[in-house]
């Protein structure tokens, strides 16, 4: 959860630094990783995947950050991370990005 959160923070800060939209883009399978890239798909950084022992679900396929820190979607972006087996509420993490770009990590989720 911390690595995903840090990756989102990187995308947000790079958007401000570059004065352009920067995207956080998971691969089709989270075990293959995700990337932070400029709006024209120029790679900024690629991250290793999530181990198969976890499942990940998101509210959208990707999220972009504008140079003012806000996101390009009209609704908050969420990433839910939980163990693939043996899930308990204490082990669920939800990373949330508000429309204004505030990034938070919480354990306020339920197993699905």
């Amino acid at each position: 959860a911390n690595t995903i959160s840090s990756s989102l923070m990187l995308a947000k800060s790079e958007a401000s630094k570059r004065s352009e939209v920067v995207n956080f883009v998971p691969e089709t399978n989270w075990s293959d990783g995700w990337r932070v890239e400029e709006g024209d798909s120029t790679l900024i950084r690629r991250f290793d995947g999530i181990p198969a022992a976890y499942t990940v679900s998101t509210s959208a396929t990707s999220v972009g950050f504008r140079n003012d820190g806000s996101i390009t979607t009209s609704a908050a972006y969420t990433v839910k991370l939980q163990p693939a087996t043996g899930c308990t509420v204490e082990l669920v993490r939800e990373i949330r990005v508000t429309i204004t770009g505030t990034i938070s990590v919480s354990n306020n989720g339920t197993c699905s």
Side-chain angles (χ1 to χ4, degrees):
N2 289 335
T3 303
I4 293 170
S5 174
S6 296
S7 302
L8 287 160
M9 287 185 225
L10 173 66
K12 181 178 175 179
S13 68
E14 287 294 320
S16 176
K17 178 176 135 183
R18 297 166 188 256
S19 292
E20 64 180 84
V21 172
V22 172
N23 299 307
F24 171 88
V25 184
E27 300 296 342
T28 304
N29 185 338
W30 279 83
S31 64
D32 294 332
W34 60 93
R35 60 194 184 280
V36 172
E37 61 187 26
E38 292 180 5
D40 65 0
S41 298
T42 301
L43 182 66
I44 295 171
R45 182 158 178 209
R46 187 179 183 306
F47 293 85
D48 293 334
I50 301 293
Y54 296 92
T55 60
V56 182
S57 58
T58 61
S59 60
T61 55
S62 65
V63 66
F65 289 89
R66 295 183 185 99
N67 64 346
D68 66 357
S70 64
I71 60 174
T72 58
T73 59
S74 60
Y77 180 76
T78 59
V79 179
K80 182 177 174 182
L81 179 65
Q82 70 183 50
T85 59
C87 183
T88 62
V89 175
E90 297 82 22
L91 299 175
V92 177
R93 295 294 179 267
E94 185 176 275
I95 301 101
R96 182 175 172 86
V97 184
T98 65
I99 294 170
T100 59
T102 302
I103 301 165
S104 62
V105 178
S106 69
N107 59 350
N108 296 334
T110 58
C111 297
S112 50

